[in-house]
Amino acid sequence: MMNVIFSPEITFWVFGLVIFSPLFFFKSAFVKLTLAIYAYPIWVMFGLWVGIPATRVIRNVGIDFYDAQLGSACFYSLLSYCLFVCSLRKLRDRDYSFHRIPLTVGQRVFFLVMLILVLPVAYPAAWGVGSDRFGSFGSLVVVFFAVIVCSKSNSSKFDVLLSLVAALIMFMVFHGERVDFILMFAAIYIIAKGTSFVSLYKLAILVSFFLVIGIYGGINRAGGALDVTELFSIVSFAITNFGTAVDVVHVYLSSSWYYENISSDFRPIINVISSYLPLLPKSGAGSDYNFVWILREYIDNVGGGTFYTASMMAAGGFGVVISGYVYGVLFRFLFRQELYYSPVFIAFFVMQFRLQWYGLTYFGNVIFSMTILWAVLYVIRKQGLVVSKNKRLGRQLRDIEVG
């Protein structure tokens, strides 16, 4: 009996309840989903630490390298999560204040058309126009989506443009592109409800629904087939062994081994900083300064990696813990902003999977594109092509112009 109570599986699920418990104390679904994305890889790591069998690349490649660092790496990531939660405590009872960007219907249609044109370029394989899964202008997909969502009329209960965008998102998910598009759909749902509050019960159903669709899309992309019974069997297994989470955990654990056995390495930090300063070398995920490529010289990986991987390589556990707090402060700052900052927050939220599970470098292009878009919207405003009937909105616009 005691062996059953203290079995790795029971310990694993009890820890899962604990690490996901902060979701119950926050009102905003934006915050809840972000916390869940942060917590999931830590849950996977803890499972490995208590004896849940390793899967995929961890079993085949990594565990022989970083078995000795597994406990400490899990502990530091857990501390970073705790600081992340603490940094958001002032948002506990707050809803997201959605403020519409004052665009005309014609301007919104223009951004929708641009989104439709960019999607096949950014994801050629999904649209059957090329063999490569990823192309160019992926950041513009996120930017155009954020602008369309944030220009939704507050008085409109049904938005035709958002319905069309939702259809595009479902098309992309069914074709195996899940990272950004699942959260795009979540953002549409949250904003369409008129509030950020979503019960955990509904949230669990929503996440489970997209988990099923995402797994089906991945198998469909690979050319496989399965019946309903097999699908539910795979989903049950995927709850604790989700492939992408395992892959990014492997990279993070590899960085822990690297710090302990090779050296402290600040190149990944330089890579992140350079990615937010246009035209600088050593920026982006493809740079040889990116942690994926550095670690691959010692331990093979398939890409990805939690955002605090770069900090682990530079400063060890201390860097990981501080990263959690800094990330939380950034999230809190964007959450509280209004007006033209709204698309930045929506874009930031949409990219939570990509940023947290692949690295912070991806948001640099979004910020650069959004800055250009801000300049365009400012010119439109100055030319009198956008007129706001909202006095508060008008005052905020004047403040921006004065500043």
Side-chain angles (χ1 to χ4, degrees), residues 103 108 111-113 115 143-152 159 161-162 165:
L103 298 182
R108 295 188 74 218
F111 283 111
L112 175 61
V113 172
L115 175 63
V143 171
F144 291 148
F145 168 82
V147 171
I148 294 170
V149 168
C150 292
S151 58
K152 174 187 178 295
D159 191 302
L161 268 66
L162 280 187
V165 172

Side-chain angles (χ1 to χ4, degrees), residues 62 89 113 119 154 213 224 258 288 299 315 342 367 378 380:
R89 66 187 183 281
V113 172
L119 274 171
N154 289 324
I213 292 178
Y258 183 94
D288 58 356
I299 307 175
S342 292
I367 293 295
Y378 178 80
I380 291 175

Side-chain angles (χ1 to χ4, degrees), residues 113-307:
V113 172
M114 293 302 297
L115 175 63
I116 295 172
L117 293 176
V118 168
L119 274 171
V121 180
Y123 303 92
W127 290 83
V129 296
S131 57
D132 294 333
R133 183 180 174 188
F134 300 111
S136 304
F137 306 121
S139 60
L140 289 179
V141 171
V142 177
V143 171
F144 291 148
F145 168 82
V147 171
I148 294 170
V149 168
C150 292
S151 58
K152 174 187 178 295
S153 174
N154 289 324
S155 61
S156 175
K157 293 186 178 297
F158 178 77
D159 191 302
V160 175
L161 268 66
L162 280 187
S163 299
L164 294 174
V165 172
L168 289 171
I169 292 170
M170 294 303 295
F171 173 85
M172 296 301 298
V173 172
F174 274 112
H175 283 77
E177 300 302 336
R178 296 156 288 179
V179 173
D180 296 331
F181 294 97
I182 288 177
L183 291 184
M184 285 184 186
F185 195 92
I188 291 176
Y189 174 78
I190 294 169
I191 293 176
K193 294 287 289 184
T195 174
S196 293
F197 178 78
V198 179
S199 70
L200 288 179
Y201 174 74
K202 293 180 180 179
L203 183 60
I205 293 177
L206 185 66
V207 171
S208 300
F209 172 71
F210 277 108
L211 181 61
V212 173
I213 292 178
I215 293 172
Y216 175 80
I219 295 174
N220 184 55
R221 185 178 66 221
L226 73 167
D227 58 29
V228 175
T229 303
E230 291 174 320
L231 177 61
F232 277 104
S233 176
I234 292 173
V235 170
S236 299
F237 180 77
I239 290 174
T240 54
N241 295 281
F242 186 62
T244 303
V246 171
D247 293 341
V248 302
V249 164
H250 166 70
V251 174
Y252 166 63
L253 293 176
S254 298
S255 72
S256 179
W257 174 89
Y258 183 94
Y259 181 80
E260 291 291 335
N261 293 275
I262 304 300
S263 67
S264 173
D265 195 331
F266 283 87
R267 286 180 293 173
I269 298 296
I270 295 173
N271 175 239
V272 172
I273 295 173
S274 298
S275 298
Y276 289 81
L277 302 173
L279 306 178
L280 282 186
K282 307 303 181 182
S283 64
S287 167
D288 58 356
Y289 272 33
N290 186 269
F291 56 74
V292 168
W293 303 103
I294 297 173
L295 294 173
R296 196 173 287 177
E297 295 178 6
Y298 299 89
I299 307 175
D300 192 27
N301 66 70
V302 295
T306 55
F307 76 92

Side-chain angles (χ1 to χ4, degrees), residues 70-89:
L70 182 56
S72 60
C74 179
F75 175 72
Y76 291 132
S77 63
L78 179 60
L79 281 183
S80 75
Y81 175 72
C82 291
L83 284 185
F84 179 73
V85 174
C86 289
S87 67
L88 300 181
R89 66 187 183 281

